[in-house]
């Protein structure tokens, strides 16, 4: 009997070893490589990039070789950008982190500390102060989470070691090197996200060069340490992308019960194509604060575009823990999606802006 028990114990122990070995073998398939890629300065694709920068933008080849000799591959960047999304988040899962009491209180404190600059930006660009505050709040928690990667390392890693996105990130690397030359700073100095986004508003280099402004006129653009520049740059970005002063972002909507199934089929990924407000009304979709007119077509309440035929709107669905909520979304909501294409992102910015404004004004 003892022999049988001992044999059984040895068999179970062997199975544990085999199982552990199989687990470790499987794990290594997803782990970082044992050795990093060869030095960037020795790679033919980097040499071709240097030649392109010299020919197209007049860079000094030796300076670029010195730069790439100091850049370091970052496996954590590849891990972060390749992290699989098993299922897109739903609104009720996504929103709470951006609508927490600490995020709202932080927005009020940021607004109070920078009230004069926010008011000036609102007057000059037509973008409400609370929208600018909310974008900075969502992007970096008012500067607390602006990123700790060297932008040079992040962009170089993605430009040359992420084949799926290489073209995009090589262009961003080019824009970053141009940015550093224009600002007369070392390209090894800026810090940012794993994707190379910089500063309080997390501008990618191409956006920084196109839309960032020296809002305090100190002779340089600094989105990381200069709040004035960050505020002015966010407002300028939104204005350039078509922000309409005084118009709505989104309004609660209702769908007639007998039309709901038909309308829901139009919501691809939670958002419809844009159509005229009148056509949505005829299909049973109505903003809840629009009143009846004498003609039977609903007239516009304050903040609703006055020309429904010329300013098409979309219908948005947000997943709540119970029944979903429905919204009419207007031009300014789509402008927010130019900052980040997610319907959840644009909606979170708007919701946070309203909560911060309510807390700031005491209403």
């Amino acid at each position: 009997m003892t022999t049988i028990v001992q044999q059984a114990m040895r068999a179970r122990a062997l199975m544990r070893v085999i199982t552990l070995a199989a687990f470790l073998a499987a794990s290594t398939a997803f782990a970082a490589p044992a050795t990093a890629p060869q030095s960037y300065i020795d790679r033919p694709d980097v040499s071709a990039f240097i030649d392109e920068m010299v020919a197209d933008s007049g860079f000094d080849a030796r300076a670029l070789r010195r730069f790439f000799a100091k850049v370091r591959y970052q496996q954590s960047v590849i891990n972060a950008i390749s992290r699989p999304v098993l299922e897109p988040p739903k609104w009720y899962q996504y929103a709470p982190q951006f609508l927490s009491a600490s995020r709202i209180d932080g927005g009020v404190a940021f607004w109070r500390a920078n009230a004069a600059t926010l008011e000036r930006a609102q007057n000059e660009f037509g973008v409400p102060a609370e929208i600018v505050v909310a974008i900075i709040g969502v992007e970096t928690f008012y500067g607390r989470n602006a990123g700790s990667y060297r932008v040079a390392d992040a962009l170089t890693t993605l430009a040359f070691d992420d084949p799926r996105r290489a073209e995009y990130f090589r262009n961003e690397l080019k824009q970053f090197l141009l940015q550093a030359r224009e600002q007369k700073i070392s390209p090894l100095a800026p810090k940012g996200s794993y994707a190379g986004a910089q500063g309080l508003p997390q501008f990618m280099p191409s956006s920084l060069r196109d839309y960032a402004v020296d809002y305090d006129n100190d002779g340089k653009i600094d989105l990381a340490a200069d709040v004035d520049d960050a505020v002015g740059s966010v407002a300028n970005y939104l204005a350039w992308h078509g922000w309409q002063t005084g118009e709505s972002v989104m309004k609660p909507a209702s769908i007639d019960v007998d039309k709901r199934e038909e309308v829901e089929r139009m919501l691809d990924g939670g958002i419809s194509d844009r159509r005229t407000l009148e056509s949505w009304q005829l299909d049973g979709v109505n903003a809840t604060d629009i009143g009846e007119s004498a003609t039977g077509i609903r007239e516009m309440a304050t903040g609703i575009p006055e020309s429904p035929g010329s300013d098409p709107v979309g219908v948005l669905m947000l997943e709540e823990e119970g029944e979903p909520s429905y919204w009419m979304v207007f031009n300014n909501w789509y402008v927010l999606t130019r900052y980040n294409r997610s319907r959840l992102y644009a909606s979170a910015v708007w919701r946070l802006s309203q909560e911060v404004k309510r807390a700031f004004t005491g209403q």
Side-chain angles (χ1 to χ4, degrees), residues 40-337:
Y40 282 110
I41 193 58
D42 298 325
R43 291 176 50 164
D45 50 355
V46 174
S47 295
F49 179 82
I50 291 173
D51 291 342
E52 179 184 336
M53 294 297 288
V54 171
D56 294 349
S57 304
F59 275 83
D60 180 77
R62 290 172 298 180
L64 287 178
R65 283 194 289 270
R66 288 194 296 270
F67 164 74
F68 281 111
K70 295 176 180 177
V71 168
R72 296 293 177 263
Y73 170 84
Q74 297 293 333
Q75 179 63 38
S76 58
V77 166
I78 297 296
N79 293 344
I81 207 161
S82 303
R83 191 175 296 123
V85 178
L86 300 179
E87 183 180 357
K90 295 178 170 57
W91 170 251
Y92 66 84
Q93 298 166 327
Y94 177 90
Q97 62 184 315
F98 301 116
L99 303 176
S100 65
S102 59
R103 194 87 57 158
I104 295 166
D105 292 344
V108 171
F110 183 88
W111 195 340
R112 287 175 177 160
N114 302 285
T117 302
L118 287 160
E119 183 178 7
R120 179 162 72 97
Q122 180 170 307
N123 292 336
E124 292 182 7
F125 297 106
V127 178
E130 64 268 19
I131 293 291
V132 175
V133 172
I135 282 183
I136 293 174
V138 169
E139 289 290 339
T140 62
F141 210 141
Y142 314 106
R144 298 184 203 179
N145 304 324
S148 59
Y149 288 95
R150 284 200 313 187
V151 174
D153 292 339
L155 290 178
T156 301
T157 297
L158 294 168
F160 298 104
D161 290 298
D162 182 10
R164 294 169 298 173
R165 307 171 183 87
E167 182 178 358
Y168 171 78
F169 282 108
R170 286 189 193 186
N171 179 63
E172 291 298 335
L173 178 59
K174 176 180 180 179
Q175 298 301 318
F176 174 67
L177 291 169
L178 290 166
Q179 167 202 327
R181 184 172 70 177
E182 291 162 356
Q183 296 181 351
K184 298 180 174 59
I185 60 173
S186 167
L188 296 170
K191 297 289 184 69
S193 74
Y194 66 80
Q198 301 168 66
L200 277 72
Q202 293 290 276
F203 274 22
M204 292 299 289
S206 57
S207 292
L208 193 153
R209 292 190 67 229
D210 287 342
Y211 305 109
V213 296
D214 175 15
Y215 207 48
D216 57 1
N217 296 310
D218 66 352
K220 62 181 185 296
I221 296 174
D222 184 351
L223 300 186
D226 192 327
V227 176
D228 287 1
D229 288 358
V231 166
S233 297
V234 171
N236 184 52
Y237 181 96
L238 296 177
W240 268 100
H241 285 89
W243 186 272
Q244 295 177 352
T245 304
E247 297 292 352
S248 290
V249 176
M250 52 194 290
K251 294 279 186 181
S254 63
I255 304 174
D256 293 347
V257 174
D258 60 334
K259 297 292 187 70
R260 177 167 294 187
E261 186 175 340
E262 179 183 347
V263 170
E264 286 180 341
R265 285 198 295 267
M266 303 179 191
L267 306 182
D268 183 16
I271 183 68
S272 72
D273 291 333
R274 284 192 263 190
R275 299 166 55 192
T276 65
L277 185 58
E278 182 177 352
S279 70
W280 282 120
Q281 292 169 345
L282 293 172
D283 278 345
V285 183
N286 299 290
T288 57
D289 59 356
I290 298 180
E292 290 288 341
S293 71
T295 63
I297 296 296
R298 304 195 171 200
E299 60 187 25
M300 311 309 149
T302 302
I304 301 293
E306 296 180 357
S307 303
S310 62
D311 192 9
V313 302
V315 171
L316 167 73
M317 182 272 290
L318 294 177
E319 304 91 345
E320 310 289 353
E321 292 200 62
E323 290 293 314
S325 60
Y326 298 94
W327 304 77
M328 281 189 169
V329 291
F330 303 93
N331 172 78
N332 288 342
W333 185 87
Y334 287 96
V335 172
L336 293 177
T337 68

